Amino acid sequence: MKQGLLITFEGVDGGGKSTQLLLAAEYLRSLGYEVVTTREPGGTLLAEQVRSIVLDAALPLTTTTQTLLYLAARSEHVDKLVRPALAAEKIVLCDRFSDSTMVYQGLCHGKTLAELGELRQLNLFATENLVPDLTLVFDGRPEVLVERRNLRGVTDRYEQEGLEFQQRLRAGFLTLAQAEPERIRIVDAEGSMGAVAAKVRVVLDEALQVAKDVE
């Protein structure tokens, strides 16, 4: 590739996206690509400190406050880590990115796609118009995936919201995927780790071929 790729991993809690990101990184490296793995909020010292704030269930943050904190962390993350890696022709795999903001702070709070305009503009400002080349949404029934979350233990404010909130999350991600089918690909997350990883590899192979075709 003559340029880097930004591939983001999204979906409801318990979908296995973090594990699949690491497996995807191993696969891409086996093909000879340079890969950077990161997460949001996080990726830099400042952004990791913001992460500890926004995910702390003991802190009563409004949706607006959460949004601004996420965007501040994303601005730092993109500037210090993501763009330099892309400029170096690396593939960046990121655990959550802008679509999570659209869902968690937008669609889950009653907004429609048409009402996300202001939030989209704020995100584009924070990222200087950076949009993922590919987004994988790990989808599954929350009542099935909840068992995986329980094995990890409930640790942050969103996982404590309960099943109904997870159902709204799922609906939000599916709404985004329907609106942007070329960028956002849905991966069935209810299978075994190996089965899901095989599906991810198929999607990655397709994306890599497209990237080569446009060189």
Side-chain angles (χ1 to χ4, degrees), residues 135-162:
T135 297
L136 285 74
V137 169
F138 292 85
D139 178 61
R141 293 165 292 173
E143 59 269 26
V144 173
L145 302 181
V146 69
E147 294 302 323
R148 298 180 185 176
R149 299 205 322 274
N150 289 340
L151 290 175
R152 290 166 40 212
V154 176
T155 58
D156 64 47
R157 71 171 69 243
Y158 301 114
E159 291 178 326
Q160 291 185 11
E161 291 285 347

Side-chain angles (χ1 to χ4, degrees), residues 161-201:
E161 291 285 347
L163 183 60
E164 191 273 335
F165 182 75
Q166 296 297 322
Q167 291 170 336
R168 280 188 279 144
L169 285 179
R170 185 191 190 193
F173 281 115
L174 292 178
T175 296
L176 290 184
Q178 185 176 28
E180 297 186 62
E182 292 186 2
R183 175 177 69 87
I184 303 176
R185 301 290 299 276
I186 297 174
V187 177
D188 184 352
E190 290 190 16
S192 67
M193 183 175 66
V196 176
K199 297 173 186 176
V200 170
R201 288 195 294 270

Side-chain angles (χ1 to χ4, degrees), residues 86-135:
L86 295 176
E89 302 178 1
K90 298 177 181 179
I91 297 178
V92 178
L93 304 183
C94 189
D95 188 341
R96 298 205 182 280
F97 196 66
S98 52
D99 292 302
S100 277
T101 301
M102 298 302 122
V103 173
Y104 278 79
Q105 281 74 50
L107 296 174
C108 274
H109 289 274
K111 292 185 180 295
T112 65
L113 276 177
E115 295 171 329
L116 293 181
E118 184 177 41
L119 193 54
R120 290 188 187 279
Q121 288 303 311
L122 286 170
N123 182 71
L124 290 174
F125 173 73
T127 64
E128 296 185 353
N129 299 311
L130 181 63
V131 177
D133 297 286
L134 170 68
T135 297

Side-chain angles (χ1 to χ4, degrees), residues 28-39:
L28 292 170
R29 287 172 181 139
S30 75
L31 298 178
Y33 294 99
E34 288 190 80
V35 181
V36 173
T37 61
T38 187
R39 67 179 184 176

